[in-house]
Amino acid sequence: MRALDRKLLRDLWNVRSQVLAIALVVASGIALLVMSLGVFGSLSTTREAYYARYAFADVFAGARRVPNRVQEQIEAIPGVEKVQTRVVVGVTLDVEGVAEPVNGRLISIPERGRPVLNDVVLRRGRWLDPDRAEEALVSERFAEAHGLQLGDRVAAVINGRRQPLEVVGIALSPEFIYNIGPGEFFPDPLHFGLLWMSRRHLATAFEMEGGFNDVALALTGASASTERAVITELDRILDAYGGLGAIPRSEQLSHWYLQNELTQLQNMAFIVPMIFLGVAAFLLNVVLRRTIAVQREQIAALKALGYSNARLGLHYVQWAVAVVTLGSLIGIVAGLLLANGMLGFYMEYFRFPFLTYEVSVPSILIAIVVSLAAAALGAMGAVRSVASLPPAEAMRPAAPESFRVSLFERLGAGRWLTQPARMVLRNLSRRPLRAALSIVGISFAGAIMVVGSAMMDSMDELLEVQFNIIQRQDLSVSFFEPVERSAVHELAALSGVMQVEPTSGVAARLRNGHLQKQTAIQALAPDARLRRVVDVDYRAIQLDRPGLVLSTLLAEQLQVEAGDTLVVEVMEAARPVREVVLTDTVDDLLGVAAYMEEESLRRLVRRDDTISGAMLKIDSQAEERLFGLLKAMPAVAGVTLRSAALKNIRTYMLDNMSMVMGVNLLFAVIIAFGVIYNTARISLSETSRELASLRVIGFTRAEISSILLGELALLTLASIPLGLLLGYGMIAGAMSAFESELFRLPVVVEANTFLVSAATVLGSMAISAWTVRRKLHDLDLVAVLKTRE
Amino acid sequence: MNVAVTTRAPTSPAHPAPVFAMRGVTKVYSMGEVQVHALRGVDLDLHEGEFTVLLGPSGSGKSTLLNILGGLDAATAGRVTYRGGDLSEAGERALTRYRRRHVGFVFQFYNLIPSLTAHENVALVTEIAHDPLTPEEALALVGLEHRLDHFPSQMSGGEQQRVAIARAIAKRPDVLLCDEPTGALDISTGIAVLEAIGKVNVDLGTTTAVITHNAAISAMADRVISLADGQIANDVRNGAKLPASAIEW
Ligand SMILES: Nc1ncnc2c1ncn2[C@@H]1O[C@H](COP(=O)(O)OP(=O)(O)O)[C@@H](O)[C@H]1O
Ligand SMILES: [Mg+2]
């Protein structure tokens, strides 16, 4: 090995704790990058493979009742390759030992053969026997949540009648990778399940013989224009049979949620790692500059001996590259492990029949390139200063640093300062830029801490708003068919029901030029108390004007603003097509929606005064008995419990977010420690001569410690407010990057989060100070004074 | 430029061509408002194998002169040639090559690399030189063959300076330039160091220039040049050259 390389290794070894600290910061960024890209890649590939193997459809449509003969008409639409018609119904389920309401969706599968589209994966058990009416396949997560085994029984409440079903198989479907019940935002396998039944028996139970109410299509090509044309034609055909509006795959619920997750992963893959690598580059830069300052005379001597600028520049670039390479290696390994953990989580939530694990080489290459870029960035200044160092420097003794009386002292405050305090101030004001950079560096640590835990704050705020301000009902009920408004009174009459509010909505397609969106318009009473629409300050908005109110995100997608006119195609009753004015937009946090005052909506739809469901406030004492009563009501298709939904979201968040946040927190601590420790070590090496001299002339250890640590404390304290500010900015940025139709996190940072952040930074300082202080104590006075740095 | 010539020009013994020739060399350092004239028109020839001692009060321009000869610094005006090649016109690359091939430096403060052993410090040079001594040979020349694996921090000042000399001579330099090599040393160590330099001068025939504050050292030189205020004040030949060990401090 060459002598210069040996020097490199020994120099690195000498500052190994600093090297490790920086390497860990790099590792954090790289780990996040590799993890996000790895999970993203694996999930995307797995999804595509799953879709392909189990024939996930391209277009989906629901209707009231379509005669079987229409299938031929649909098959004849140009661009359609395959058609699968089905019967799909929502029911309430009766599972043994579960008092709470459970909702189910019954889906038909053909008597003979497998579905040509949206095929079912049989995980355990056997396929249905077409001759037996009471058999069903049950979705895997639902079976697991309820501990259902093959041979167990579940009852579906069909038209008020309990229909017992025997579980003969456990299944999955590409159509329900992300499986959420009506009106829900997160998968809740305990309260929502899928059951596949033989087509003939399901049709009989729901008076669908000779017909279907659901159709899925596969298209011959993937062109957007074909898709649009097919959807238009399909809508035209289904119009006469109560078609609910066809949607492309991109709007299919499960696909759309999954897509949102993937997009978030992709966003996360870049934003956060870049912050880490930026900080790492900054640290490298500071440490390298310091190293070069210390080695000025070595560099000059090497130049005098005939080493070129390029060779010496390379020497310090190698320094940076070595640190970053170490960090990358740690980061890649950690990232792969994390990706594994995350994938485990996603597999649990999404349930794929197989996982195509991609140890994506490109993502690792990206990581390496990005980290080397950080190294180059960090080493750039260093190389320049090496090149500009005159070799004659080696011949000269080092000039004393030029000092000035600090500004603080010039203002006349000097007389209160002790001698060590004066030194602290002069040290800092000698290198104002260095001090400023250190403050910025440490504040990054504080900021990342804020980001790490503010996610939780936002989530809490979201739940608070969603479940205490917007949705205040204890449970909501949905009906199979719209019913008379008088049903409200029937519900109110049930004992334990304290308050009832009707809900109704219509399936509709909103259109602005070529932009369109399939959705449901929810009717809201002007005096609604349980389900409300709120403004930015969470005050209830009075829906008293005729016109549409949309979630801001939905309005943005349709490129409309308050005051603009939209075309509303109603998918029910007389199926009118009307122009409606957008009166307002609201910043919904969970999901996106369209609202209208109930009377205006009824006039728009031109239908009878019916309701599609109700929201109830109930006495918790009477809960269980009430569940029983509701399930037994023939009209009831589903009952959703707020407390269950809330609990489910919390578990989801705990599972998902806590992992992400734990990782964030760990990384924040690493960065805090990395920056502060390096700052401390650098000022130690800068001032050790000076401090040793002070010791020689009689200063105590405590006194010289206070000079060094005072400087560190001052920098750290100054960084805290900046860190909090920066953190707030970063969380605001991150929230808007993570924003999706799924949810929009409000930017909320609790005082506690700020405290934790400040405490972490101070804690890191304390530990750094402690290690540096130990070094100070061990300061070999003679050696320090003898060696010329 | 052709500083890189390695073959020596044929010289007649009566009027040998000088190794270095300086003509009208001035050096001005500008420090903001103030201009410091470190050299004011120096004319000087140094000859093959000559052992020259540079004397003069502090600030008289000795180091500046030596740095310009060694290609560490450039003259503000005037001409400097090395074996006929023009140093004053050379660029950064050419100067690096010049230093690498022809010049050995010994610094007042040794300037060893603290993270490298004696052997490795010398290897630093032998690795990039053409036809060098081995580090062992170079260290043996200064009497340190038994300290190969010691780090600078484990050696005395005199030993460190001898490592620095070994490092300077390991490439078999054509010229050896020493800036106050004994400035930081006590008498006996200083003599040991001077002996090492003198031995190199005699054994390898290296053209040598040594800056010192100590006039007594002149006794071992072929030639003694005194600088004062940036100019050559005196230039004498020493007829009775003594070995370093015989010098009275
Ligand atoms: N890099 C420099 N910048 C400014 N002035 C310098 C520099 N190097 C030397 N000088 C000045 O040039 C003069 C000669 O310096 P130097 O050659 O080092 O003297 P000597 O080595 O004889 O003590 C001195 O006045 C010194 O202050
Ligand atoms: Mg000098």
Side-chain angles (χ1 to χ4, degrees):
Chain A
M1 195 194 304
R2 301 225 132 201
L4 210 53
D5 299 325
R6 241 174 252 248
K7 165 177 165 357
L8 181 67
L9 290 183
R10 299 222 179 103
D11 286 352
L12 286 169
W13 181 249
N14 257 334
V15 291
R16 57 192 171 277
S17 47
Q18 274 170 279
V19 163
L20 191 66
I22 302 173
L24 284 179
V25 174
V26 173
S28 305
I30 295 300
L32 272 176
L33 189 69
V34 169
M35 178 197 82
S36 309
L37 290 178
V39 171
F40 176 80
S42 299
L43 279 185
S44 309
T45 333
T46 303
R47 182 184 67 173
E48 287 324 306
Y50 189 14
Y51 281 176
R53 212 180 296 173
Y54 290 91
F56 185 49
D58 296 316
V59 171
F60 304 78
R64 282 174 72 84
R65 188 182 187 288
V66 194
N68 280 341
R69 62 182 154 73
V70 179
Q71 178 165 352
E72 276 169 38
Q73 244 174 296
I74 297 172
E75 277 163 353
I77 300 174
V80 171
E81 191 196 2
K82 284 183 217 160
V83 175
Q84 174 70 58
T85 63
R86 302 186 298 190
V87 175
V88 177
V89 267
V91 293
T92 59
L93 298 175
D94 219 349
V95 188
E96 211 170 313
V98 183
E100 292 164 26
V102 177
N103 300 317
R105 181 172 291 142
L106 307 183
I107 304 157
S108 72
I109 45 181
E111 310 284 273
R112 262 175 295 282
R114 302 264 292 271
V116 292
L117 292 174
N118 299 332
D119 197 1
V120 175
V121 186
L122 189 66
R123 301 277 273 179
R124 273 185 296 137
R126 59 168 172 82
W127 292 101
L128 301 169
D129 178 347
D131 293 331
R132 302 186 51 192
E134 68 284 6
E135 286 188 356
L137 304 178
V138 175
S139 54
E140 189 173 67
R141 287 200 67 200
F142 182 75
E144 280 173 12
H146 290 279
L148 290 174
Q149 302 298 330
L150 297 177
D152 283 355
R153 280 170 187 282
V154 180
V157 183
I158 297 172
N159 280 330
R161 209 165 38 78
R162 286 182 87 249
Q163 157 89 51
L165 295 169
E166 186 194 337
V167 178
V168 299
I170 309 288
L172 291 177
S173 158
E175 201 184 351
F176 303 103
I177 296 174
Y178 197 93
N179 185 17
I180 55 172
E184 298 285 340
F185 296 99
F186 295 96
D188 184 358
L190 200 57
H191 299 100
F192 181 69
L194 302 168
L195 287 87
W196 286 271
M197 286 175 67
S198 205
R199 167 87 170 254
R200 181 158 51 93
H201 303 298
L202 188 56
T204 312
F206 286 89
E207 287 145 21
M208 267 308 160
E209 290 110 326
F212 59 91
N213 65 355
D214 183 280
V215 61
L217 315 178
L219 305 183
T220 47
S223 93
S225 59
T226 318
E227 187 180 88
R228 216 166 317 129
V230 168
I231 285 176
T232 309
E233 186 56 17
L234 182 61
D235 277 345
R236 199 191 56 73
I237 295 171
L238 295 182
D239 207 36
Y241 311 103
L244 293 172
I247 52 167
R249 182 191 277 191
S250 61
E251 287 180 45
Q252 197 264 349
L253 207 60
S254 158
H255 175 88
W256 174 85
Y257 272 86
L258 195 51
Q259 189 56 48
N260 264 312
E261 283 285 341
L262 288 175
T263 310
Q264 271 187 29
L265 270 174
Q266 223 177 358
N267 289 341
M268 193 160 97
F270 289 102
I271 300 169
V272 186
M274 288 311 133
I275 293 174
F276 276 93
L277 292 172
V279 170
F282 161 76
L283 281 181
L284 273 175
N285 189 288
V286 173
V287 174
L288 261 181
R289 268 175 200 282
R290 173 57 201 153
T291 307
I292 285 167
V294 169
Q295 300 187 348
R296 262 182 96 73
E297 286 139 26
Q298 293 182 37
I299 296 165
L302 287 167
K303 283 192 179 188
L305 296 178
Y307 280 90
S308 64
N309 281 338
R311 182 63 189 88
L312 292 175
L314 179 67
H315 180 67
Y316 290 97
V317 169
Q318 283 172 333
W319 200 104
V321 167
V323 175
V324 162
T325 305
L326 176 67
S328 300
L329 290 180
I330 301 175
I332 287 169
V333 172
L336 291 175
L337 290 175
L338 281 173
N340 243 333
M342 280 295 264
L343 279 174
F345 167 80
Y346 278 117
M347 290 303 281
E348 176 70 19
Y349 258 85
F350 292 136
R351 285 312 156 96
F352 295 93
F354 50 84
L355 175 65
T356 316
Y357 185 62
E358 277 217 343
V359 188
S360 69
V361 176
S363 77
I364 288 174
L365 287 182
I366 289 175
I368 289 171
V369 167
V370 165
S371 66
L372 287 179
L377 208 66
M380 216 158 59
V383 170
R384 220 177 300 128
S385 64
V386 166
S388 64
L389 186 69
E393 198 82 356
M395 296 301 224
R396 266 193 290 277
E401 302 257 11
S402 52
F403 274 89
R404 298 207 313 155
V405 175
S406 69
L407 179 67
F408 190 62
E409 290 170 278
R410 270 178 278 151
L411 291 177
R415 67 195 110 115
W416 297 304
L417 294 175
T418 60
Q419 213 53 41
R422 208 170 296 219
M423 288 183 67
V424 167
L425 283 181
R426 289 187 192 169
N427 273 342
L428 289 176
S429 61
R430 169 167 47 143
R431 297 226 176 83
L433 186 68
R434 163 86 58 81
L437 285 179
S438 296
I439 291 173
V440 170
I442 302 173
S443 68
F444 260 110
I448 286 178
M449 276 307 291
V450 170
V451 172
S453 38
M455 292 268 206
M456 267 303 189
D457 294 346
S458 298
M459 274 292 186
D460 279 339
E461 172 82 358
L462 174 119
L463 293 188
E464 168 67 22
V465 171
Q466 190 67 27
F467 289 98
N468 284 324
I469 298 176
I470 298 177
Q471 300 180 358
R472 306 199 295 182
Q473 78 278 13
D474 294 321
L475 59 82
S476 44
V477 173
S478 63
F479 301 126
F480 283 111
E481 310 256 282
V483 301
E484 296 284 312
R485 187 173 271 274
S486 59
V488 168
H489 302 301
E490 273 174 58
L491 288 171
L494 296 175
S495 82
V497 174
M498 291 165 15
Q499 202 176 341
V500 183
E501 244 169 50
T503 51
S504 62
V506 292
R509 177 174 291 151
L510 307 180
R511 235 178 40 207
N512 175 34
H514 68 284
L515 297 168
Q516 57 176 41
K517 186 84 187 171
Q518 179 77 39
T519 185
I521 303 176
Q522 300 178 26
L524 288 179
D527 56 350
R529 314 234 11 102
L530 296 182
R531 173 69 174 93
R532 308 184 304 172
V533 179
V534 297
D535 64 14
V536 203
D537 301 319
Y538 306 137
R539 278 191 305 254
I541 292 176
Q542 287 297 317
L543 284 186
D544 43 13
R545 279 178 296 168
L548 206 56
V549 174
L550 295 182
S551 299
T552 311
L553 208 59
L554 192 52
E556 277 167 14
Q557 285 173 352
L558 290 167
Q559 292 172 17
V560 283
E561 286 173 16
D564 292 352
T565 306
L566 281 164
V567 175
V568 175
E569 291 177 33
V570 176
M571 299 291 180
E572 285 178 24
R575 309 180 76 82
V577 178
R578 289 288 167 76
E579 291 204 334
V580 180
V581 176
L582 178 67
T583 51
D584 214 344
T585 59
V586 288
D587 293 327
D588 278 315
L589 298 177
L590 262 182
V592 294
Y595 312 95
M596 237 173 138
E597 187 273 316
E598 60 182 359
E599 194 46 41
S600 328
L601 183 62
R602 202 163 57 76
R603 275 202 304 274
L604 177 82
V605 181
R606 280 183 302 179
R607 72 174 177 200
D608 303 331
D609 193 4
T610 55
I611 60 174
S612 50
M615 279 166 301
L616 275 60
K617 196 136 194 85
I618 60 169
D619 175 3
S620 56
Q621 300 281 300
E623 212 175 64
E624 262 188 48
R625 217 173 37 76
L626 202 55
F627 294 158
L629 290 174
L630 286 172
K631 265 191 235 176
M633 291 174 92
V636 172
V639 181
T640 311
L641 201 61
R642 184 184 67 156
S643 59
L646 199 57
K647 197 171 133 214
N648 179 53
I649 296 180
R650 287 207 185 278
T651 348
Y652 171 85
M653 275 167 38
L654 265 178
D655 284 4
N656 184 6
M657 307 292 278
S658 64
M659 175 157 169
V660 173
M661 265 172 247
V663 170
N664 262 355
L665 218 69
L666 175 70
F667 290 168
V669 171
I670 288 175
I671 227 174
F673 193 75
V675 176
I676 298 174
Y677 182 69
N678 269 302
T679 309
R681 284 301 301 269
I682 286 170
S683 47
L684 173 66
S685 76
E686 263 172 8
T687 49
S688 59
R689 261 181 93 69
E690 201 176 323
L691 297 179
S693 316
L694 289 176
R695 286 274 289 126
V696 171
I697 63 172
F699 276 70
T700 63
R701 281 180 173 157
E703 278 164 340
I704 62 161
S705 300
S706 72
I707 295 173
L708 188 63
L709 303 184
E711 188 181 325
L712 190 61
L714 218 61
L715 291 174
T716 307
L717 287 178
S719 80
I720 286 178
L722 184 62
L724 301 185
L725 219 66
L726 206 61
Y728 192 85
M730 272 157 64
I731 191 85
M735 291 303 162
S736 63
F738 290 167
E739 179 174 300
S740 69
E741 288 183 50
L742 194 51
F743 55 75
R744 202 174 51 78
L745 287 170
V747 181
V748 182
V749 184
E750 299 286 341
N752 235 351
T753 297
F754 283 136
L755 284 180
V756 168
S757 155
T760 311
V761 170
L762 288 174
S764 304
M765 187 197 82
I767 300 173
S768 307
W770 180 72
T771 56
V772 169
R773 216 185 117 97
R774 273 191 24 196
K775 288 214 175 284
L776 263 184
H777 276 209
D778 300 344
L779 207 59
D780 180 344
L781 300 183
V782 181
V784 170
L785 294 179
K786 210 169 81 180
T787 58
R788 273 165 35 90
E789 277 207 326
Chain B
M1 64 165 266
N2 59 356
V3 160
V5 284
T6 42
T7 50
R8 295 179 182 183
T11 54
S12 72
H15 287 287
V19 178
F20 287 108
M22 297 180 105
R23 293 292 175 269
V25 170
T26 65
K27 176 71 186 180
V28 183
Y29 292 105
S30 314
M31 305 175 68
E33 309 278 285
V34 200
Q35 292 210 325
V36 180
H37 290 261
L39 293 178
R40 307 164 185 268
V42 171
D43 296 327
L44 177 67
D45 287 344
L46 294 182
H47 297 279
E48 194 72 53
E50 223 168 38
F51 191 125
T52 306
V53 161
L54 286 164
L55 292 174
S58 179
S60 55
K62 304 181 297 292
S63 297
T64 304
L65 181 73
L66 202 72
N67 290 351
I68 292 174
L69 290 179
L72 297 183
D73 212 343
T76 310
R79 220 169 102 87
V80 184
T81 58
Y82 169 75
R83 294 191 196 285
D86 198 339
L87 286 181
S88 35
E89 295 293 312
E92 168 63 31
R93 268 165 187 283
L95 284 180
T96 300
R97 204 163 53 225
Y98 162 63
R99 291 196 298 265
R100 177 184 289 219
R101 295 202 182 156
H102 306 290
V103 187
F105 281 105
V106 178
F107 313 101
Q108 180 179 359
F109 298 103
Y110 334 136
N111 291 63
L112 298 180
I113 304 298
S115 54
L116 297 180
T117 60
H119 182 273
E120 289 159 354
N121 261 288
V122 178
L124 217 40
V125 166
T126 56
E127 279 166 4
I128 60 169
H130 172 72
D131 185 29
L133 304 173
T134 65
E136 289 81 0
E137 286 166 350
L139 284 163
L141 269 177
V142 296
L144 285 177
E145 59 277 20
H146 54 290
R147 306 297 296 270
L148 296 181
D149 294 327
H150 289 227
F151 284 95
S153 60
Q154 298 165 329
M155 287 183 282
S156 72
E159 286 164 340
Q160 289 186 51
Q161 191 61 300
R162 273 144 72 198
V163 175
I165 293 169
R167 183 174 66 178
I169 59 172
K171 71 170 79 157
R172 303 180 206 271
D174 301 316
V175 296
L176 183 60
L177 305 175
C178 314
D179 193 344
E180 299 188 37
T182 59
L185 304 174
D186 62 67
I187 296 171
S188 60
T189 350
I191 288 174
V193 166
L194 286 172
E195 271 178 340
I197 295 174
K199 189 162 143 53
V200 168
N201 172 250
V202 173
D203 292 0
L204 303 177
T206 311
T207 308
T208 307
V210 178
I211 293 178
T212 179
H213 276 302
N214 192 337
I217 294 173
S218 326
M220 65 181 284
D222 294 313
R223 187 177 173 194
V224 181
I225 297 172
S226 301
L227 278 164
D229 199 18
Q231 285 172 321
I232 295 179
N234 207 353
D235 184 348
V236 293
R237 299 222 151 251
N238 179 15
K241 192 173 164 184
L242 292 176
S245 53
I247 293 174
E248 309 247 338
W249 294 64

